[in-house]
Amino acid sequence: MAKVVVGLSGGVDSSVAAYLLKEQGHEVIAMFMKNWHDKSVTISDECPWIDDSNDAMLVADSLGIPFQTIDLSDEYKKRIVDYMFAEYEAGRTPNPDVLCNREIKFDVFLKAAVQLGADYVATGHYCQKMEIETPIGKQYQLIAGHDDNKDQSYFLCQVTQQQLAKALFPIGHLTKPEVREIANKIGLTNANKKDSQGLCFIGKVRLPEFLQQQLKPKKGLIYEIDNGSEIYTNFDYLKNLNIESKEDLITLSTPIKYSPENGKKVGEHGGAHYYTIGQRRGLNVGGKAEGLFIIATDTVENAIYVGMSENHNGLQRRGLFIPNEDIHWIREDFVLNNNEHIDYLLRIRYRQPLVKATLYKEPEGLFIIFEEPIKAIAAGQFAAWYLDNELIGSGVIS
């Protein structure tokens, strides 16, 4: 049997993961990650990590396994929080949960566990790991969780083969109701605790207030773009364009560039860096037949562009681009070479239904063209591609 360090968050998922590992005969150590105590930036009025730490300690005591806390707050600030501020300031939309897994749980935390002599680290993620022999040797597969409603493979889309080799996902084959049933059966105090919301291992985050603590308000204008604007003259043509050249790839993956002349002023905002494409709340513009959605932000000119209704042309995109330095392959035997293309299923955000897309590898990077237009693609998001239920690779959208 192996020595396993479990990232015990205080929630029911990681608690049941620890229980199952112990039942399997492993030597289990519980470790709680403290990721935040910077008083200069307030996450929320509440202090959920203290309650979570206490819950984790009670679970460890109930299971009869050693418990300790590890302070990763310095690394978390450098690798996650500073990254968030920089991305929003640049007008991009980061996903800190993906980075938390790559940079904290399966890097800093994993290294700390290995120093304790651990063979593996385990988490309460709803995903699965398998091994397969390939022409380049053994490869680890990252498989979607059995529970379609809770599958969290997307959040691990940036992990490496080396990280997967040391990872265990004990509850990936279970559904959430089954996990809670196990927790109730063994009498865990957190069996019916609500799922955590917000940043990885921190808790609730009111994003606008959070960003305003580092990114200063800057008044700007909101422009509405009419759905029938001449800027969309070729929209139907592009929507149905077949790929025949590299120029087609570039055309379909390049977002529309808006200017104030394309629309009309409908309001003011406090800073373009506080907003993201697809956002509806927080605009404070009324009197419209349907809701306004952000279709573009310009942090250089400090302008926001909006369109009326969720079916607005400005929200629709056929493609995206990922530069070479931001392409990541989990399955190293699947790496695309230049001038190759392949069909995959793809999503750009957690719980988004998988859609059909074709990946085209060119010398400068990866072009991804969707079979049908999808909504609200934002720079900074992670695109993740799947073969059936296996996550093959991912990349940061340019």
Side-chain angles (χ1 to χ4, degrees):
M1 292 292 105
K3 184 174 184 178
V4 185
V5 171
V6 179
L8 204 62
S9 68
V12 66
D13 297 330
S14 60
S15 300
V16 171
Y19 165 74
L20 293 175
L21 289 168
K22 186 182 178 187
E23 287 295 292
Q24 292 164 13
H26 298 295
E27 179 186 352
V28 181
I29 299 172
M31 189 179 288
F32 178 84
M33 294 177 241
K34 181 182 178 183
N35 286 345
W36 194 258
H37 61 60
D38 184 352
K39 292 183 173 59
S40 69
V41 178
T42 303
I43 296 293
S44 72
D45 295 334
E46 305 168 20
C47 235
W49 74 263
I50 295 177
D51 294 335
D52 289 340
S53 176
N54 290 334
D55 288 342
M57 187 162 51
L58 289 172
V59 167
D61 183 64
S62 173
L63 297 178
I65 58 177
F67 174 84
Q68 57 182 279
T69 296
I70 182 171
D71 189 342
L72 303 180
S73 52
D74 287 343
E75 290 291 343
Y76 192 90
K77 182 180 184 304
K78 292 175 188 174
R79 300 195 189 195
I80 310 299
V81 177
D82 290 349
Y83 153 83
M84 281 184 63
F85 283 129
E87 287 286 272
Y88 273 104
E89 189 171 27
R92 293 161 60 87
T93 302
N95 190 313
D97 290 308
V98 172
L99 265 292
C100 181
N101 284 314
R102 187 184 79 185
E103 302 287 335
I104 303 299
K105 293 179 189 172
F106 295 99
D107 186 9
V108 182
F109 179 74
L110 173 58
K111 290 173 181 174
V114 169
Q115 287 181 343
L116 290 176
D119 301 297
Y120 300 98
V121 294
T123 66
H125 282 105
Y126 285 86
C127 60
Q128 304 174 81
K129 182 182 94 170
M130 298 181 68
E131 296 180 16
I132 188 172
E133 285 296 331
T134 76
I136 67 169
K138 181 170 65 176
Q139 290 278 290
Y140 295 97
Q141 298 175 287
L142 180 61
I143 307 294
H146 176 66
D147 189 337
D148 291 336
N149 292 321
K150 292 295 294 183
D151 168 40
Q152 294 173 312
S153 57
Y154 174 79
F155 289 134
L156 280 85
C157 69
Q158 286 275 294
V159 298
T160 66
Q161 282 291 308
Q162 293 73 29
Q163 291 170 328
L164 274 178
K166 292 286 187 180
L168 297 176
F169 308 111
I171 65 168
H173 63 292
L174 300 172
T175 65
K176 184 74 178 197
E178 288 172 335
V179 167
R180 290 202 185 277
E181 183 180 351
I182 292 171
N184 277 301
K185 184 177 179 179
I186 63 176
L188 293 183
T189 57
N190 61 356
N192 298 304
K193 184 177 180 179
K194 289 183 179 180
D195 290 345
S196 62
Q197 302 292 327
L199 291 183
C200 157
F201 277 87
I202 285 183
K204 294 180 181 178
V205 175
R206 298 180 183 90
L207 192 59
E209 291 89 339
F210 178 65
L211 293 174
Q212 286 170 18
Q213 293 174 73
Q214 293 288 321
L215 306 180
K216 301 302 180 185
K218 185 180 178 183
K219 283 191 177 181
L221 297 178
I222 301 173
Y223 298 93
E224 182 181 356
I225 309 296
D226 188 87
N227 208 30
S229 170
E230 62 181 17
I231 204 167
Y232 302 124
T233 300
N234 295 323
F235 182 79
D236 288 335
Y237 163 71
L238 294 175
K239 187 166 64 173
N240 299 304
L241 179 64
N242 292 319
I243 307 301
E244 296 181 354
S245 67
K246 186 173 178 178
E247 286 68 31
D248 291 337
L249 294 175
I250 294 172
T251 298
L252 290 178
S253 62
T254 302
I256 294 173
K257 179 68 175 177
Y258 297 94
S259 66
E261 290 73 29
N262 299 131
K264 61 180 180 180
K265 174 188 169 185
V266 292
E268 295 184 345
H269 61 82
H273 44 258
Y274 298 146
Y275 298 87
T276 186
I277 293 172
Q279 183 175 334
R280 179 180 178 180
R281 298 181 185 277
L283 290 171
N284 298 317
V285 177
K288 299 293 179 180
E290 296 183 66
L292 292 178
F293 292 79
I294 295 176
I295 59 175
T297 63
D298 185 338
T299 55
V300 176
E301 299 297 330
N302 195 34
I304 288 177
Y305 298 93
V306 299
M308 189 165 62
S309 98
E310 61 181 343
N311 296 314
H312 193 276
N313 288 338
L315 287 174
Q316 315 292 321
R317 288 271 299 278
R318 264 295 298 286
L320 57 87
F321 175 71
I322 299 171
N324 283 321
E325 61 269 23
D326 291 326
I327 301 171
H328 173 70
W329 293 92
I330 293 177
R331 282 288 297 276
E332 296 170 348
D333 55 322
F334 279 30
V335 173
L336 276 184
N337 296 314
N338 288 337
N339 302 313
E340 291 182 341
H341 67 274
I342 189 171
D343 294 336
Y344 279 121
L345 298 172
L346 195 133
R347 61 168 51 106
I348 61 169
R349 60 181 67 89
Y350 174 54
R351 301 194 78 167
Q352 179 193 40
L354 290 167
V355 296
K356 294 180 180 179
T358 304
L359 278 60
Y360 296 83
K361 181 64 180 71
E362 295 292 332
E364 63 269 45
L366 192 66
F367 293 89
I368 298 178
I369 307 299
F370 301 98
E371 186 175 84
E372 299 287 341
I374 67 169
K375 297 177 184 177
I377 297 176
Q381 290 175 314
F382 289 89
W385 45 94
Y386 291 72
L387 181 61
D388 296 325
N389 65 345
E390 179 183 359
L391 207 165
I392 302 298
S394 67
V396 185
I397 300 170
S398 176

